Amino acid sequence: MAKKKMTVLDFKKYKEEGKKFSYVTAYDYTIASIVNDSDVECILVGDSLGMIMLGYDSTVPVTLDDVIHHAKSVVKGAPDTFIIGDMPFGSYNVSIEDAIRSANRLVKETGVDCIKLEGGVEMVDTIKALVKAGHNVMGHIGLTPQTATSFGGFKVQGGTPESARKLIEDAKALEAAGVFSIVLECVPSVVAKAMREEVGVPILGIGAGPDVDCQVLVTQDLLGMYGDFKPKFVKQFAQIRQEMVKGLNQFHHESETGEFPTPEFSFNKAVEIPKVYGGK
Ligand code: KIV
């Protein structure tokens, strides 16, 4: 049975009901359609596509055109799944007008259900303007990969009482500005728990422990597909990379030995071949 697509209103409802849900990334039609066949409720077309799909070292070089290109195929592949379009670095930090223009393009050209952007209190005016312009906005605080170099790289955030307090203040400011949910990345579990109790919108945790409203992971990480790096918070629920290499090696082997293709995988119609081409 096809699942019922989640709506923006369900985010708050699920939190109030204590119903936990899940959220993964996808960047292409095939993976999106596989997620759509699963019970996972949300897909993020994340700027992590820079590393996962394009082989970059970080999310910083990803452009709005890159996200739009990938999001179009995800929307086609996952009609029953709530889809989030990530605003890449440079698409919302020039001016509020520019942020609205970028969000308009992302939503109008792809059909994603909402946009996500990184940042705390410093993003409040931009978020308010985006909400006023009619956008559903998801926040993202804690480890914010687009600006990670300014706080010393990919590190756990909120590890001191002051930084934990600042993160909770950020979450409250984002809620007041109108976000409908907040991604919280790479923080101690106790910080996520305290934040979840302080704000009315769902906390979507990635590396934020068990006391959040929704668990988020990158699909290629959780399925064991991405070979370059495995963060501590990633549990691999399958070993798809190994299975893929195994399948590719079997194809290679049977191609070398001639075991593939058998008549089952060939077009076997008898056709008279002209003599010049080796016929009788
Ligand atoms: O781009 C991404 O994959 C993300 C997740 C880490 C939430 O922003």
Side-chain angles (χ1 to χ4, degrees), residues 128-173:
K128 278 186 184 161
L130 284 164
V131 172
K132 196 165 165 212
H135 287 285
N136 300 313
V137 182
M138 179 179 284
H140 182 161
I141 55 175
L143 173 57
T144 45
Q146 293 173 9
T147 47
T149 48
S150 62
F151 42 81
F154 286 70
K155 290 186 177 145
V156 176
Q157 301 297 304
T160 62
E162 302 75 47
S163 59
R165 184 195 171 100
K166 156 92 173 78
L167 275 180
I168 294 170
E169 293 306 321
D170 278 339
K172 287 163 117 175

Side-chain angles (χ1 to χ4, degrees), residues 15 17 25-26 40 54 115 143 152 160 162 173-174 183-184 200 206 211:
K15 175 158 182 150
E17 290 170 353
T25 56
V40 171
L54 305 177
I115 54 152
L143 173 57
T160 62
E162 302 75 47
L174 293 193
V183 169
L184 178 62
I206 172 163
D211 295 310

Side-chain angles (χ1 to χ4, degrees), residues 3 12 85 87 104 120 132 138 141 173 178 180 182 185 191 218 226 229 255 265 270:
K3 63 189 173 193
K12 198 143 191 227
M87 298 270 278
N104 288 349
K132 196 165 165 212
M138 179 179 284
I141 55 175
F180 71 94
I182 299 171
E185 182 167 353
V191 177
V218 167
Y226 184 66
F229 173 67
S255 300
F265 301 105

Side-chain angles (χ1 to χ4, degrees), residues 199-211:
V199 298
V201 294
I203 300 299
L204 322 168
I206 172 163
D211 295 310

